[in-house]
Amino acid sequence: MPEMDIPKLHEFLAQEFPQVADDVRVEELSDESITVRLRVAERHLRPGGTLGGPAMFLLADVAAYCLILSRIGWRPLAVTTNAGIDFLRKPAADSHLLCEATILKMGRALVVVEARLFSEGVRDLVARANLTYSLPPEGQTPEVL
Amino acid sequence: MPEMDIPKLHEFLAQEFPQVADDVRVEELSDESITVRLRVAERHLRPGGTLGGPAMFLLADVAAYCLILSRIGWRPLAVTTNAGIDFLRKPAADSHLLCEATILKMGRALVVVEARLFSEGVRDLVARANLTYSLPPEGQTPEVL
Amino acid sequence: MPEMDIPKLHEFLAQEFPQVADDVRVEELSDESITVRLRVAERHLRPGGTLGGPAMFLLADVAAYCLILSRIGWRPLAVTTNAGIDFLRKPAADSHLLCEATILKMGRALVVVEARLFSEGVRDLVARANLTYSLPPEGQTPEVL
Amino acid sequence: MPEMDIPKLHEFLAQEFPQVADDVRVEELSDESITVRLRVAERHLRPGGTLGGPAMFLLADVAAYCLILSRIGWRPLAVTTNAGIDFLRKPAADSHLLCEATILKMGRALVVVEARLFSEGVRDLVARANLTYSLPPEGQTPEVL
């Protein structure tokens, strides 16, 4: 049973990420994975109607962050230390973007998450990312951003 | 002599990245490197006043993109294929973020750029990133995003 | 039907990678994925009996390379342009290492492969990697290593 | 003053990396950076005389590892958690490979190192890498490889 369920995660997003809370929505949540939707809004698009890399990075980061919080509870101290992303295909122009994130390793100090992004209803991957988060010892402040 | 100078790059940003054009400014430009400033606005901040990873990724991507365009001219087809970023230190709370990007390789088909982010007036690195862009053959559409 | 089957890949390894050909073996091959075994030899081990990061990187690279060749045929020009790897867990001391590699994108010019490494008989991932290869246009020499 | 000087690092390499100790040599060492040479031997080469990606990865890893040890002392527990590498140019055929590694962040728990590889006597970069190492708390075993 997760420490934070979907409504709790939405509450967290509204408070900690007010700029994006209206655009992202947690669709599914299990112990090992999460699915998060990015409602593609005008401001995420480049001229021509494609979604830019930074918006995809944002979605992967939010999904991974929510997945970790669902496991460890509301702890805004977890910080990204490293991320890598391959952009594979152009997302479908008028579709929402979905991100499926999975925990690869839940360590004492580091959590590694894998994220796969695709356009709703399209099977081919749009992007894949790996993200590492540092969990500071209880009661300590994080040493990295 | 660059194909696009600083005023031309600002024109490009206003047209292609209207969402961020007000926040970023090219400060310096040479054949091999560029410095871009992110005026840290309220909407880039997390509660507590720190700047999030996605905003840093955005800055690195915009800086690298402008650097490449300054070399090859206005060609909105160049696309990011891969990026990696290490988040090293918490940025200073009330400072603008600066990104220095350098071309590591300017190939026929691929361009590799390195970016270093720091808070204005602080020497220690906040983050470093590597970004690869694909240059489609003249007259062809890009195969990746 | 692959352009090169398993015996053909072993022939390629013996010729192009004589240093490792005795240690690696292609176990399974399909259109989208490959499984390659690294027989863990004394010279891959660090004192204490653990396998080092470079040996794992080597295995991921060989597996990805063979997978691509099985699709495009014997073409020793394909070159790695970028790779990222997360080391997740210590491999089991006396076990062979297996690598499952999958093609994420087979483009005209770039191929992106994902690799997962684990110790034989153990479910938890030891490492995961992403690798990008550049395919030079037919008849041209590659521009990167 | 480093915790381990160059002769001490060679002693470490001979003991912990006997397979490569004959091929690598620490050339320069300061508080923040190290230069390590890979004597290019027959067994590092692919047919055609080029050096493969795994050999470059190995050199970057050994250089970063030695740099960290020179700062924290002989502590074989430090482990690589993440690495990324861009392969930029074909190394010169008959030249040794040099790696300059620099510490980007020396944290309590994580160390981030940047490495630049080039052929001796050639200015253009052959590859660049980023590597992260986890430092287990004193007296504890590392949680990752």
Side-chain angles (χ1 to χ4, degrees):
Chain A
M1 202 175 53
E3 286 281 327
M4 290 175 71
D5 57 14
I6 291 179
K8 208 83 180 138
L9 289 173
H10 287 151
E11 196 184 318
F12 168 82
L13 287 171
Q15 188 168 323
E16 299 279 328
F17 295 89
Q19 318 91 319
V20 302
D22 286 348
D23 299 330
V24 297
R25 193 128 298 262
V26 180
E27 302 270 317
E28 290 180 31
L29 179 66
S30 76
D31 260 18
E32 293 299 327
S33 71
I34 197 170
T35 304
V36 178
R37 172 190 302 264
L38 177 67
R39 292 186 192 120
V40 177
E42 196 57 45
R43 71 180 168 290
H44 301 130
L45 297 180
R46 294 198 176 164
T50 65
L51 195 73
M56 296 192 215
F57 182 87
L58 172 69
L59 174 59
D61 189 42
V62 166
Y65 208 91
C66 284
L67 178 56
I68 296 172
L69 288 182
S70 79
R71 288 285 294 271
I72 67 173
W74 194 313
R75 205 168 144 189
L77 301 176
V79 289
T80 319
T81 58
N82 171 271
I85 186 161
D86 285 304
F87 299 102
L88 302 164
R89 292 176 187 85
K90 203 169 155 161
D94 297 317
S95 301
H96 290 179
L97 203 63
L98 294 174
C99 175
E100 290 179 359
T102 311
I103 289 179
L104 294 186
K105 180 192 166 71
M106 185 90 210
R108 277 196 309 264
L110 293 177
V111 185
V112 182
V113 174
E114 188 174 63
R116 292 165 175 273
L117 279 70
F118 49 91
S119 294
E120 191 168 26
V122 182
R123 190 174 164 272
D124 285 335
L125 271 185
V126 162
R128 69 113 235 121
N130 52 282
L131 306 106
T132 300
Y133 296 80
S134 167
L135 303 180
E138 299 271 352
Q140 288 194 31
T141 52
E143 67 168 310
V144 267
L145 167 68
Chain B
M1 200 174 54
E3 286 281 326
M4 289 174 72
D5 57 13
I6 292 179
K8 209 86 178 132
L9 289 173
H10 286 151
E11 196 184 318
F12 168 82
L13 288 171
Q15 188 167 323
E16 298 280 328
F17 295 89
Q19 319 89 321
V20 302
D22 287 347
D23 299 330
V24 297
R25 191 126 300 260
V26 180
E27 303 269 316
E28 291 179 32
L29 179 65
S30 77
D31 261 19
E32 294 298 327
S33 71
I34 197 171
T35 304
V36 178
R37 173 190 300 264
L38 175 69
R39 293 187 193 119
V40 177
E42 196 57 44
R43 71 180 167 291
H44 302 131
L45 298 180
R46 293 198 176 162
T50 65
L51 196 72
M56 296 191 215
F57 182 87
L58 171 69
L59 174 59
D61 189 43
V62 166
Y65 208 90
C66 285
L67 178 56
I68 296 171
L69 288 182
S70 78
R71 288 285 293 272
I72 65 173
W74 194 314
R75 206 168 143 190
L77 300 177
V79 290
T80 319
T81 57
N82 172 270
I85 187 161
D86 285 304
F87 299 102
L88 302 165
R89 292 174 188 87
K90 203 169 156 161
D94 298 318
S95 302
H96 289 179
L97 204 64
L98 294 173
C99 176
E100 290 179 359
T102 311
I103 289 179
L104 295 186
K105 179 191 168 72
M106 185 89 211
R108 277 196 309 264
L110 293 177
V111 186
V112 182
V113 174
E114 187 174 64
R116 292 167 175 272
L117 280 70
F118 49 92
S119 295
E120 189 168 26
V122 181
R123 191 175 164 271
D124 285 334
L125 273 184
V126 162
R128 68 112 237 124
N130 52 283
L131 304 106
T132 300
Y133 296 80
S134 168
L135 302 180
E138 299 272 351
Q140 288 194 31
T141 52
E143 67 168 308
V144 265
L145 165 70
Chain C
M1 201 176 54
E3 285 282 327
M4 290 175 71
D5 57 13
I6 293 179
K8 207 86 178 134
L9 288 173
H10 286 151
E11 195 185 318
F12 168 82
L13 287 171
Q15 187 167 324
E16 299 280 329
F17 295 90
Q19 318 91 319
V20 302
D22 286 348
D23 299 329
V24 298
R25 191 125 302 260
V26 180
E27 302 270 315
E28 292 179 32
L29 178 65
S30 77
D31 260 18
E32 294 298 327
S33 71
I34 197 171
T35 303
V36 178
R37 172 190 301 264
L38 176 68
R39 293 186 192 119
V40 178
E42 197 56 45
R43 71 181 168 291
H44 301 131
L45 297 180
R46 293 198 176 163
T50 65
L51 195 73
M56 296 192 215
F57 181 88
L58 172 68
L59 175 58
D61 189 43
V62 166
Y65 208 91
C66 285
L67 178 56
I68 295 171
L69 288 181
S70 78
R71 288 285 294 271
I72 66 173
W74 193 314
R75 204 168 144 192
L77 300 176
V79 290
T80 319
T81 58
N82 171 271
I85 187 161
D86 285 304
F87 300 102
L88 302 165
R89 292 175 189 86
K90 204 170 154 160
D94 297 317
S95 302
H96 290 179
L97 203 63
L98 295 173
C99 175
E100 290 178 1
T102 312
I103 290 180
L104 295 186
K105 179 191 167 72
M106 186 89 210
R108 279 196 308 265
L110 293 177
V111 185
V112 182
V113 174
E114 187 173 65
R116 293 166 175 273
L117 280 71
F118 48 91
S119 296
E120 190 168 27
V122 182
R123 191 175 165 272
D124 285 334
L125 273 184
V126 162
R128 68 113 236 124
N130 52 283
L131 305 106
T132 301
Y133 296 80
S134 167
L135 302 180
E138 298 271 353
Q140 289 193 30
T141 52
E143 66 169 308
V144 267
L145 165 67
Chain D
M1 202 175 53
E3 286 281 326
M4 290 174 73
D5 57 13
I6 292 179
K8 208 85 179 135
L9 289 173
H10 287 151
E11 195 183 318
F12 168 82
L13 288 170
Q15 188 167 324
E16 299 279 330
F17 295 89
Q19 318 90 318
V20 301
D22 287 348
D23 299 330
V24 297
R25 192 126 300 260
V26 180
E27 302 270 316
E28 291 179 32
L29 179 65
S30 76
D31 261 17
E32 294 298 327
S33 71
I34 197 170
T35 303
V36 178
R37 172 190 302 264
L38 176 67
R39 292 186 193 120
V40 177
E42 197 55 45
R43 71 181 167 290
H44 303 131
L45 298 180
R46 294 196 177 165
T50 65
L51 195 72
M56 295 192 216
F57 182 87
L58 172 69
L59 175 59
D61 189 43
V62 166
Y65 208 91
C66 283
L67 178 55
I68 296 171
L69 288 181
S70 78
R71 288 285 293 272
I72 66 172
W74 194 313
R75 206 168 143 190
L77 301 176
V79 290
T80 319
T81 58
N82 172 271
I85 187 161
D86 285 304
F87 299 102
L88 303 164
R89 292 175 187 87
K90 202 167 155 161
D94 297 318
S95 302
H96 289 179
L97 204 63
L98 294 173
C99 175
E100 290 179 359
T102 311
I103 290 179
L104 295 186
K105 179 192 167 71
M106 185 88 212
R108 278 195 308 264
L110 293 177
V111 186
V112 182
V113 174
E114 187 174 64
R116 292 166 175 273
L117 279 71
F118 49 92
S119 294
E120 191 169 26
V122 182
R123 190 174 164 273
D124 284 335
L125 273 184
V126 162
R128 68 112 238 121
N130 52 283
L131 305 106
T132 300
Y133 296 80
S134 167
L135 302 180
E138 298 270 353
Q140 289 193 28
T141 52
E143 65 169 310
V144 265
L145 168 67

